[in-house]
Amino acid sequence: MELFETLIVIVHVIVAAGVIGLVLIQQGKGADMGASFGGGASQTVFGSGGSGSFLTKMTTTLAIVFFLSSFALAYVAKQKAGQVTAIGVPVVETVSGSSSESGEPSTEAGTANAGESQSASEAPSDSKPELE
């Protein structure tokens, strides 16, 4: 899964740079008037009329690949988030017990050996103090 994610990230970055480059290369709508008065359109790499449609098609294709790679990265992130909540984060267990007849809460862990029990003040505390 790590190789798949790395491959998607590499493709995503290359396509993003390609989209940026293609958008910057394209001429705006206002440039058509200047090109018609001897702007040298016949000396372009793509011919006199072919650059607009070619660059537009390439930009559209790269934008579609960019969106698909974005969705793939979101899917991978969702899978990783599911693994983190299942493996890496401790789960807080609630004790579902009823109180005994003496009024003391029951424990699921069982009774401690005689002489080894700890009082409430000696027990280790994992909770953080509340801020007011």
Side-chain angles (χ1 to χ4, degrees), residues 3-17:
L3 179 66
F4 181 66
E5 181 184 10
T6 304
L7 183 66
I8 294 173
V9 169
I10 291 171
V11 168
H12 191 73
V13 170
I14 291 172
V15 169

Side-chain angles (χ1 to χ4, degrees), residues 5-129:
E5 181 184 10
T6 304
L7 183 66
I8 294 173
V9 169
I10 291 171
V11 168
H12 191 73
V13 170
I14 291 172
V15 169
V19 168
I20 291 170
L22 284 174
V23 168
L24 290 176
I25 287 174
Q26 292 181 20
Q27 295 179 354
K29 296 278 186 183
D32 292 337
M33 184 61 85
S36 64
F37 291 112
S42 62
Q43 298 175 359
T44 61
V45 175
F46 303 108
S48 61
S51 67
S53 64
F54 174 75
L55 292 177
T56 304
K57 288 178 184 178
M58 284 300 297
T59 305
T60 304
T61 303
L62 287 180
I64 290 170
V65 172
F66 181 80
F67 282 120
L68 291 176
S69 66
S70 296
F71 287 132
L73 285 173
Y75 177 76
V76 169
K78 180 183 175 196
Q79 295 299 320
K80 278 191 169 185
Q83 291 173 356
V84 168
T85 56
I87 296 172
V89 178
V91 177
V92 177
E93 296 180 14
T94 58
V95 178
S96 60
S98 61
S99 57
S100 62
E101 292 178 8
S102 64
E104 296 178 9
S106 64
T107 59
E108 298 278 332
T111 59
N113 293 336
E116 294 181 8
S117 65
Q118 294 179 342
S119 67
S121 62
E122 295 175 357
S125 174
D126 290 337
S127 63
K128 295 180 182 176

